[in-house]
């Protein structure tokens, strides 16, 4: 008989007894129902040897989602896709009933209104769940393998010229200029920028250390899993000195820090809610509006800059360094890329130095 145990955290531990009568845990879950469902399934599996049971996909997905070793932010995103796109289609079906033909129909019909990227993520979730079920001893087909999926459209890469940067900043609301300057002056990802504490700012050494990343709920290691040190220019140093004089060091937000001790001092981009990191929504809207309002050029050549995204400032940082002759390998390390091949997409920015090449060639 399965049961649950409420933990001090408010979550629930699903409990059951195996074939030898020993108490076992099926994992920790957000609700009582999830804990009981997982425990009942685990109990059936333990006592029936796996192959004799044939749970529904919904029953199995509860266990599978809990057992996955992924970042919490990834788990939350995947849970949203499971609830919206997978449960309605596969939830009531037994694992052994799911076929590749049905999965292809799901892609062609049920998911046809989604972006190619989202379709692929949904299919990957189905495939991962079925592979895990097969590994656990359940009888099921690799239904998500070899499907005909929509082609991915290339993500637009955009970087701003110096004139465009100046024009956008000039019309940007003053409240958002610090965020603009920090992203543009460091090339940090959004989650890294909003997780920057004063502890990791060296104004005398003109450098910052990327130690934390914010995923919306907890502080964790940055995407590269390794901290990195980034040099900063005199302009950003001056901005940060003025901010420090006006606001002081502050105190680190009372959030969870995974993989390290809580810093002593506050955030550079502290929000109004107990010093927690700011959200991207307001800045994104303000930056986009500023791009659409800003203009560059003179006379007949005058044009709007156009919509600008926060991530475009990271692209601009990288392309600017390459245009000024900084080696690709150095830029890759500053961006925290896993490989220089990831940075290669910025190589087109190097074409701005082709006049130098032509001068050499004669």
């Amino acid at each position: 008989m399965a049961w649950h145990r409420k933990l001090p955290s408010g979550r629930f531990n699903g409990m059951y007894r195996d074939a030898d009568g020993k108490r076992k845990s099926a994992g920790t879950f957000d609700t009582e129902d999830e804990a009981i469902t997982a425990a009942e399934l685990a109990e059936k599996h333990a006592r029936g040897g796996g192959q004799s049971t044939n749970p529904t996909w919904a029953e199995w997905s509860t266990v599978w989602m809990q057992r996955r070793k992924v970042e919490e932010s990834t788990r939350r995103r995947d849970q949203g896709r499971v609830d919206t796109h997978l449960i309605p289609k596969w939830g009531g079906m037994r694992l052994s009933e799911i076929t590749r033909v049905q999965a292809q129909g799901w892609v062609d019909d049920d998911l046809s209104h989604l972006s190619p990227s989202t379709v692929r993520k949904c299919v990957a979730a189905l495939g991962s769940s079925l592979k895990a079920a097969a590994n656990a001893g359940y009888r099921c087909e690799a239904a998500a393998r070899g499907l005909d999926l929509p082609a991915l459209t290339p993500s637009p890469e955009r970087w701003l010229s110096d004139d465009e940067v100046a024009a956008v900043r000039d019309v940007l609301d003053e409240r958002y200029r610090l965020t603009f300057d920090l992203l543009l002056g460091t090339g940090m990802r959004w989650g890294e920028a909003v997780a920057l504490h004063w502890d990791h700012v060296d104004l005398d050494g003109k450098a910052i250390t990327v130690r934390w990343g914010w995923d919306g709920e907890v502080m964790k290691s940055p995407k590269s899993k390794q901290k990195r040190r980034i040099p900063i220019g005199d302009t950003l140093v001056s901005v940060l000195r003025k901010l420090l004089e006006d606001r002081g060091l502050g105190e680190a937000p009372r959030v969870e820090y995974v993989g390290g001790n809580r810093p002593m001092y506050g955030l550079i981009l502290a929000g109004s809610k107990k010093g927690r990191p700011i959200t991207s929504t307001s800045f994104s809207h303000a930056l986009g509006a500023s791009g659409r309002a800003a203009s560059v050029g003179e006379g007949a050549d005058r044009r709007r800059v156009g919509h600008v995204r926060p991530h475009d400032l990271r692209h601009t940082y990288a392309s600017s360094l390459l245009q000024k002759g900084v080696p690709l390998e150095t830029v890759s390390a500053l961006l925290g890329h896993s490989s220089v091949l990831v940075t290669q997409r910025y190589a087109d920015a190097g074409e701005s130095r082709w006049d130098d090449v032509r001068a050499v060639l004669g």
Side-chain angles (χ1 to χ4, degrees), residues 249-272:
L249 291 169
E251 183 180 348
R254 295 289 177 178
V255 299
E256 182 180 358
Y257 287 79
V258 179
N261 296 325
R262 179 172 172 265
M264 184 176 296
Y265 302 118
L267 299 169
I268 307 301
L269 301 179
S272 59

Side-chain angles (χ1 to χ4, degrees), residues 138-151:
Y138 295 107
R139 182 168 55 87
C140 56
E141 180 181 340
R145 186 181 301 168
L147 299 182
D148 183 14
L149 302 177

Side-chain angles (χ1 to χ4, degrees), residues 319-328 330-331 350 352-353:
S319 63
S320 178
L321 294 181
L322 289 170
Q323 288 170 22
K324 292 174 174 61
V326 177
L328 190 68
T330 301
V331 175
S352 64
R353 299 181 60 85

